[in-house]
Amino acid sequence: MSKKKASEEEKSVLEQFMLPFYHVSKRVPLFPGKNNMASEAGLFGISEEELEKYRENYEENAKEAALEILKEDEIVDCLDDIPMDGEETIVAFGDSNTEDAQGWFTILKHVLEISVEKANFKFINAGVSYNTTAEALRRIDRDVVIHEPDWVIVALGTFDAQRLNIAPNRTLLPLSETWENIETIQAVLGERVDNPLIWITPAPVISEMLEENLLYDFTIKPKDLGQVQELVAGKQGAIIDGRAERMGEDEPNAWNYLPDGLHHSLSGHMETVKAIIKKLTEPKEPKS
């Protein structure tokens, strides 16, 4: 293993843009050292102690965000009607903003564990950063179905709409393939999960910020992403933020994003959690 250690500048990039979104056990599930923190730390050029500290900080940030959400009377009132008894297995099936170690799913975990009496939930984060719907579909069996979940929250589609800098004349996946993939995800999970699927529409991307970030070799245009948002908003189940406005009604607010304009800040993740809680406790329309 290389003895070269990350510089302070590299550590800053690691802390903000890589470590929250990269877990070896998800990227290479057959790797013998996937659960060995020393091996994983060596991959990033930092010490095991540093990696452990980073991850503790992410968890603490998510818990603090949950506590902030629980200061809102509207959310507390909604949680009284949450359709869960505390014994459920909940799987989040998504991409970067789901895998994020201090992201919406970890915040939601803390909110539910704090607020549901005798909570004994099982939370499975099946998010893998930068996944398209096609890549997610390939792993749906081993990452989602195998857990026999009671609830599945699907948060996919953003990276289908990316245009590679080297080939900007097309989106990475054609819209027709995105449609087929989410239809298949709906069919596979609809047969195996008793509760309705929860679909989170992809949040807008601030393209100008993304294009200025040297870490990425792609861009995402509002028009392309808007078409994916419409597909997701048309699915069966509970649709979270069907108009994709949770990051800002008229246009996305920069404070809800990291400096790349793509990944969400803690405040952005909090908006997603609040949208989920409000949707799950909406009065159900009577059947005709």
Side-chain angles (χ1 to χ4, degrees):
M1 183 180 295
S2 172
K3 294 183 179 180
K4 182 181 182 297
K5 298 299 182 181
S7 67
E8 289 305 311
E9 182 179 4
E10 290 169 333
K11 286 180 181 180
S12 177
V13 173
L14 282 171
E15 180 180 12
Q16 190 167 35
F17 293 110
M18 180 164 285
L19 290 176
F21 307 103
Y22 194 105
H23 299 82
V24 170
S25 60
K26 296 184 178 188
R27 301 300 182 90
V28 281
L30 299 180
F31 176 49
K34 66 180 182 180
N35 293 317
N36 184 308
M37 187 170 287
S39 298
E40 193 166 6
L43 176 66
F44 294 118
I46 58 179
S47 70
E48 184 177 356
E49 292 74 18
E50 287 174 313
L51 178 58
E52 184 175 13
K53 185 62 177 177
Y54 282 132
R55 296 225 161 121
E56 287 175 354
N57 288 342
Y58 299 143
E59 188 73 19
E60 185 61 28
N61 290 343
K63 187 172 183 178
E64 289 295 326
L67 292 172
E68 284 297 313
I69 289 173
L70 289 170
K71 292 178 181 178
E72 299 186 20
D73 291 340
E74 181 184 7
I75 296 298
V76 173
D77 291 342
C78 285
L79 286 166
D80 288 338
D81 298 319
I82 201 83
M84 298 175 182
D85 62 18
E87 295 291 333
E88 292 89 348
T89 295
I90 305 171
V91 175
F93 189 39
D95 48 43
S96 302
N97 282 308
T98 300
E99 183 173 8
D100 188 347
Q102 56 187 6
W104 66 266
F105 189 59
T106 306
I107 297 171
L108 178 64
K109 173 178 77 76
H110 285 297
V111 168
L112 293 178
E113 287 178 340
I114 293 168
S115 59
V116 175
E117 187 176 359
K118 297 180 181 178
N120 188 33
F121 293 105
K122 183 178 181 181
F123 295 94
I124 307 295
N125 189 326
V128 175
S129 293
Y130 309 105
N131 257 198
T132 64
T133 55
E135 291 165 324
L137 184 58
R138 288 175 63 90
R139 60 185 181 83
I140 194 171
D141 192 11
R142 66 174 170 84
D143 284 358
V144 182
V145 174
I146 195 172
H147 298 293
E148 299 181 347
D150 299 291
W151 294 90
V152 178
I153 308 173
V154 184
L156 292 162
T158 297
F159 295 98
D160 291 36
Q162 62 185 301
R163 289 178 181 260
L164 301 179
N165 295 345
I166 195 70
N169 293 328
R170 50 157 291 189
T171 55
L172 190 61
L173 292 188
L175 192 63
S176 59
E177 184 174 344
T178 299
W179 181 86
E180 290 178 352
N181 290 337
I182 64 173
E183 284 290 306
T184 304
I185 290 170
Q186 175 85 63
V188 168
L189 297 179
E191 292 178 356
R192 294 167 173 83
V193 181
D194 290 338
N195 290 298
L197 296 185
I198 302 170
W199 294 87
I200 301 178
T201 55
V205 171
I206 304 179
S207 301
E208 297 82 2
M209 295 171 66
L210 177 59
E211 290 165 7
E212 291 173 0
N213 196 301
L214 299 179
L215 293 174
Y216 303 110
D217 58 1
F218 62 87
T219 189
I220 297 175
K221 302 294 186 183
K223 181 179 179 181
D224 297 328
L225 188 57
Q227 293 177 318
V228 177
Q229 290 164 341
E230 289 181 10
L231 289 183
V232 174
K235 299 312 300 162
Q236 299 175 4
I239 309 301
I240 308 302
D241 188 26
R243 305 176 91 177
E245 293 179 339
R246 64 189 183 277
M247 299 300 168
E249 289 188 11
D250 297 322
E251 59 183 21
N253 298 314
W255 59 79
N256 286 328
Y257 295 80
L258 297 184
D260 60 5
L262 169 64
H263 295 105
H264 302 161
S265 64
L266 281 170
S267 63
H269 284 302
M270 290 167 65
E271 293 301 326
T272 297
V273 172
K274 289 187 282 188
I276 293 171
I277 293 169
K278 291 176 183 178
K279 184 66 179 182
L280 288 181
T281 56
E282 279 183 357
K284 303 298 184 291
E285 294 183 5
K287 295 182 179 179
S288 56

